[in-house]
């Protein structure tokens, strides 16, 4: 049997994670056919011995379930029905300025990555409000861009059966994750090098699942930072805790005993004491953690037809909600840019610039990588302030002369 692969789509999303699925949702709701390459980009780094995929809990900073429902209608309620947890979040945190106050009570929604992406996949593909088709291809990877320095015209795709083919698209959204090769692919098209800002140092991240002790299933999210080391407990579905620790030295968190000792050795041993009374529900998974970095795509005269979002654009600590916040902000910016049509010559450029403004808010406080820590620096003048200044200047210029 011969498998027929698509040769053209209106929008192509590289990556089937949270950022990619949100982008697919808003593009589909704008009235376009969407193809999602769930495999993202093939990894350029061979898996090292002793390292396994992380089991971080996902933390969404939401306003009364508004964010995720706004971008993928119905997904918030479905997440709660399937066990996602919600907790009130105290006012005054460093994330609050990314949310309009009118959106109401702010909450944290926590769940496993598998539950989050599984629900979003169902909603993105099956939501009856959509008039166009959304297709998710598991095992399909992007292996390069097609086009030139003025426009990205599509992607070279390696499908699950091993065949490769060029797929053209009016819009390509890269949400392939932290190991994205997009900047290199653009250089191959003749585009200038993308500036990169880096912060922090490389290290290691270890995660492990625990079953919550009797009577502690409603434990709120608990996080501790101690210099280069940190630990967080994220309550997820099925009465489980997803516990993640970071350390500069792999041996500090490499196995079950080291993992428990490291949590107790922090300046605040709260996480260590809690997991000491919990039953492990999985092994320790250790992964290398690179320094945080932000690719400034908005600063180059990049080709039209490409938007970069999620970890492919900027990476944040897995111990707070800034990564999901950036993905949500990117989806909203993309939705606004598509208001003039997917083929508008400046749609992708405007989306990338708007996304950069949102990422700047989240990147602005380098003093903490944990939720709730630190007070943000004053943000720049908002749109309403700038408009007021323009009106005042226009009034002075247009003021009628007195005789």
């Amino acid at each position: 049997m011969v498998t027929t692969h698509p040769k053209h789509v209106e929008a192509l999303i590289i990556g089937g994670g949270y950022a990619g699925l949100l982008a697919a949702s808003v593009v589909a709701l704008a009235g376009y056919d969407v193809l999602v390459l769930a495999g993202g980009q093939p990894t350029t780094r061979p898996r090292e011995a002793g390292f396994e995929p992380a089991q971080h809990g996902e933390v969404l900073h939401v306003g009364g379930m508004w964010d995720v429902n706004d971008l993928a209608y119905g997904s918030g309620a479905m997440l709660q029905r399937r066990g996602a947890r919600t907790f009130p979040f105290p006012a005054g945190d460093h994330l609050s300025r990314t949310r309009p106050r009118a959106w109401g009570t702010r909450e944290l929604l926590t769940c496993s990555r598998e539950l989050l992406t599984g629900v979003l996949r169902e909603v993105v593909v099956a939501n009856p409000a959509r008039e166009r088709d959304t297709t998710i291809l598991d095992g399909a990877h992007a292996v390069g861009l097609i086009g030139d320095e003025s426009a990205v015209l599509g992607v070279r795709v390696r499908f699950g059966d091993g065949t490769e083919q060029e797929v053209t698209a009016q819009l390509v959204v890269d949400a392939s994750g932290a190991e994205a090769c997009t900047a290199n692919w653009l250089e191959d098209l003749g585009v200038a090098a993308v500036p990169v800002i880096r912060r922090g140092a490389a290290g290691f991240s270890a995660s492990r699942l625990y079953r919550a002790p009797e009577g502690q299933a409603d434990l709120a999210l608990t996080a501790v930072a101690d210099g280069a080391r940190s630990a967080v407990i994220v309550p997820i579905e099925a009465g489980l805790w997803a516990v993640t620790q970071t350390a500069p030295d792999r041996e500090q968190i490499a196995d079950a005993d080291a993992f428990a000792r490291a949590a107790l050795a922090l300046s605040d041993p709260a996480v260590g004491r809690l997991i000491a009374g919990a039953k492990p529900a999985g092994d320790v998974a250790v992964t290398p953690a690179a320094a945080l970095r932000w690719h400034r795509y908005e600063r180059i005269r990049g080709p039209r037809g490409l938007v970069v979002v999620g970890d492919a654009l900027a990476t944040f600590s897995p111990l707070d909600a800034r990564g999901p916040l950036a993905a949500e902000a990117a989806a909203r910016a993309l939705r606004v840019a598509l208001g003039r049509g997917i083929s508008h010559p400046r749609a992708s450029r405007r989306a990338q610039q708007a996304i950069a403004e949102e990422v700047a808010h989240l990147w602005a406080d380098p003093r903490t990588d944990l939720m709730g820590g630190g007070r943000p620096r004053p943000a720049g003048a908002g749109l309403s302030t700038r408009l007021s200044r323009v009106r005042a200047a226009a009034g002075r210029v247009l003021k009628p002369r007195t005789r």
Side-chain angles (χ1 to χ4, degrees):
M1 180 177 178
V2 178
T3 302
T4 302
H5 299 303
K7 295 184 178 180
H8 176 78
V9 292
E10 290 175 304
L12 190 148
I13 314 295
I14 307 173
Y18 186 57
L21 291 172
L22 288 184
S25 177
V26 299
V27 174
L29 281 175
Y32 302 102
D33 291 329
V34 179
L35 175 65
V36 179
L37 306 180
Q41 298 183 16
T43 180
T44 57
R45 181 180 61 190
R47 180 173 293 180
E48 301 175 46
F51 294 116
E52 297 294 334
Q55 305 174 66
H56 305 306
E58 292 294 320
V59 182
L60 305 185
H61 184 277
V62 300
M65 296 304 299
W66 181 278
D67 287 8
V68 67
N69 276 329
D70 175 47
L71 299 168
Y73 183 75
S75 53
M78 191 180 295
L79 283 168
Q80 285 189 306
R81 286 197 301 270
R82 298 189 183 180
R85 313 299 303 280
T86 56
F87 305 95
F89 197 78
D93 64 284
H94 69 287
L95 303 178
S96 60
R97 61 175 164 164
T98 63
R99 177 153 338 285
R101 294 179 182 177
W103 284 13
T105 304
R106 291 175 297 111
E107 299 174 328
L108 293 178
L109 182 146
T110 61
C111 63
S112 66
R113 185 169 298 174
E114 292 74 18
L115 177 61
L116 178 63
T117 56
V119 165
L120 284 177
R121 284 170 68 107
E122 290 184 38
V123 171
V124 167
V125 172
N127 195 323
R130 288 173 171 76
E131 299 178 355
R132 308 300 290 269
D133 292 331
T134 299
T135 304
I136 300 178
L137 294 182
D138 292 308
H141 298 82
V143 295
L145 298 174
I146 57 177
D148 54 32
E149 60 183 359
S150 65
V152 168
L153 303 177
V155 172
R156 291 198 307 276
V157 180
R158 180 181 301 145
F159 295 96
D161 58 6
T163 62
E164 290 191 13
Q165 177 181 297
E166 290 188 351
V167 179
T168 58
Q170 293 175 274
L171 175 68
V172 174
V173 179
D174 180 18
S176 54
E179 295 186 16
C181 303
T182 313
N184 295 332
W185 292 348
L186 287 175
E187 289 188 39
D188 293 340
L189 297 181
V191 180
V194 179
V196 183
I197 298 175
R198 289 183 172 83
R199 193 171 77 207
F204 296 88
S205 172
S207 57
R208 192 179 197 187
L209 295 178
Y210 288 83
R211 189 158 299 281
E214 186 76 23
Q216 296 193 48
D218 293 330
L219 175 78
L221 183 143
T222 304
V224 176
D226 185 4
R229 298 171 54 202
S230 58
V232 63
I233 296 178
V234 179
I236 60 174
E237 67 275 8
L240 296 175
W241 291 345
V243 182
T244 300
Q245 295 193 65
T246 60
D249 184 358
R250 181 182 184 276
E251 298 306 316
Q252 292 178 296
I253 50 176
D255 54 40
D257 292 338
F259 191 86
R261 288 195 304 269
L264 287 169
L266 294 170
S267 58
D268 180 351
V271 171
R273 291 171 181 168
L274 286 166
I275 64 175
K279 182 179 179 180
D283 296 328
V284 176
V286 183
T287 55
L292 305 183
R293 55 107 189 96
W294 176 12
H295 283 93
R296 305 302 301 268
Y297 285 96
E298 83 286 357
R299 291 187 174 180
I300 64 170
R301 296 181 62 86
R304 65 180 183 273
L306 174 69
V307 178
V308 185
V309 302
D311 286 351
L313 176 65
T315 56
F316 296 92
S317 168
L319 304 184
D320 65 23
R322 280 180 278 188
L325 270 175
E328 294 155 11
R332 284 192 290 270
L334 185 59
R335 179 171 58 189
V336 171
L338 290 175
R340 294 191 175 188
I342 198 170
S343 59
H344 191 281
R346 289 188 57 80
S348 57
R349 178 69 174 172
R350 287 172 176 167
Q352 198 70 68
Q353 290 173 337
I355 292 167
E357 292 180 7
E358 296 293 338
V359 171
H361 291 323
L362 298 168
W363 189 268
D365 188 4
R367 292 168 295 179
T368 176
D369 286 326
L370 278 178
M371 220 167 352
R375 187 183 297 266
R377 290 191 290 269
L383 178 60
S384 61
T385 303
R386 293 195 294 269
L387 287 174
S388 297
R389 292 173 180 170
V390 171
R391 293 191 191 102
R396 289 192 296 270
V397 172
L398 301 176
K399 184 177 179 180
R401 297 179 180 179
T402 58
R403 295 184 178 180

